[in-house]
Amino acid sequence: MEHGEAASLGRYFSRQLKENLLYYFATQLDYEELITNIFWVDARMIIDYSHFGDVTMFDTTYSTNRDARPLGVFLGLNHHREIVVFRGALLYDETIESFVWLFETFLEAMFKKKPITVFTDQDAAMSVAIKVVMPKTYHALCSWHMWQNAKKHLGHLLKNESQFNDDFLACIYEYDGEDEFLSAWNEMLDKYDVHENKWLIDLFKLKEKWAQTYVKSTFTA
């Protein structure tokens, strides 16, 4: 952090604590005792999570600050299907160690309540950390992030093959039976000659995290 920023951060957290005793924050230091990761929740977030925290989405692609450090935001839905924020974090990096610290700190702030289901992007380090800290939580992939990645890796098909869009989305959302899903997936690979596409190969290995036939087994709100 820049000179003076740590003190400014400390003053901000102190003011928040004076205004509300439920406010919670934590910082992680490196071996030089410099601040790396920062976590905070306020009283509204704690209350919302106690009611609506069974399903949460963790997103580090939401924004980055001027130093290109990821802002991690935990989101959910309330009973009006409105987005609610459960917590925030500024991270030094997106390593397994940082995510483990973040998830453990979150559970400490939220009285050890773990979500039933958590949605993330395809970050491998995040996946490992969830298994370590919340092994019984169902880890699913956010379909919006999947679609953004599809644009990067399958842009030529999305542009030139109008039907591919429908076929790909059908594999995500429409097939309740495993045999039906596997058949549709293989037909799609044959139809568009994408058996060797590495992104699709890797995505299929994670099918339990995004295909309706598997994800239907957990609560997703």
Side-chain angles (χ1 to χ4, degrees), residues 17 19 28 109 116 119 145 158 163-164 216:
L17 280 173
E19 294 175 6
Q28 186 181 37
I116 295 172
F119 285 90
H145 284 109
L158 295 174
Q163 186 62 35
F164 177 78
K216 70 179 182 179

Side-chain angles (χ1 to χ4, degrees), residues 17-123:
L17 280 173
K18 287 180 181 179
E19 294 175 6
N20 194 314
L21 294 178
L22 283 179
Y23 193 89
Y24 182 99
F25 72 92
T27 57
Q28 186 181 37
L29 307 181
D30 65 11
Y31 68 95
E32 294 180 337
E33 296 193 356
L34 298 175
I35 293 176
T36 54
N37 298 318
I38 304 165
F39 169 91
W40 68 91
V41 294
D42 61 26
R44 181 75 263 167
M45 295 175 183
I46 293 173
I47 293 171
D48 282 341
Y49 184 75
S50 70
H51 290 298
F52 311 115
D54 288 338
V55 178
T56 184
M57 175 182 170
F58 179 53
D59 187 5
T60 56
T61 63
Y62 179 75
S63 183
T64 55
N65 65 8
R66 65 186 181 190
D67 298 313
R69 302 301 183 191
L71 168 66
V73 181
F74 293 81
L75 307 168
L77 291 175
N78 65 17
H79 52 307
H80 298 296
R81 293 189 62 80
E82 298 169 333
I83 292 176
V84 289
V85 179
F86 295 141
R87 51 184 164 171
L90 281 170
L91 301 175
Y92 180 77
D93 56 26
E94 295 181 272
T95 60
I96 295 172
E97 292 78 11
S98 285
F99 287 133
V100 166
W101 175 85
L102 177 60
F103 296 149
E104 288 178 341
T105 304
F106 172 72
L107 293 180
E108 182 179 342
M110 297 302 189
F111 307 101
K112 306 298 182 182
K113 176 182 176 178
K114 298 177 181 178
I116 295 172
T117 306
V118 59
F119 285 90
T120 72
D121 60 19
Q122 289 175 246
D123 187 279

Side-chain angles (χ1 to χ4, degrees), residues 126-146:
M126 201 182 298
S127 178
V128 173
I130 290 172
K131 288 180 181 179
V132 170
V133 181
M134 299 178 286
K136 294 184 179 180
T137 294
Y138 194 103
H139 179 203
L141 296 183
C142 170
S143 57
W144 184 87
H145 284 109
M146 283 177 55

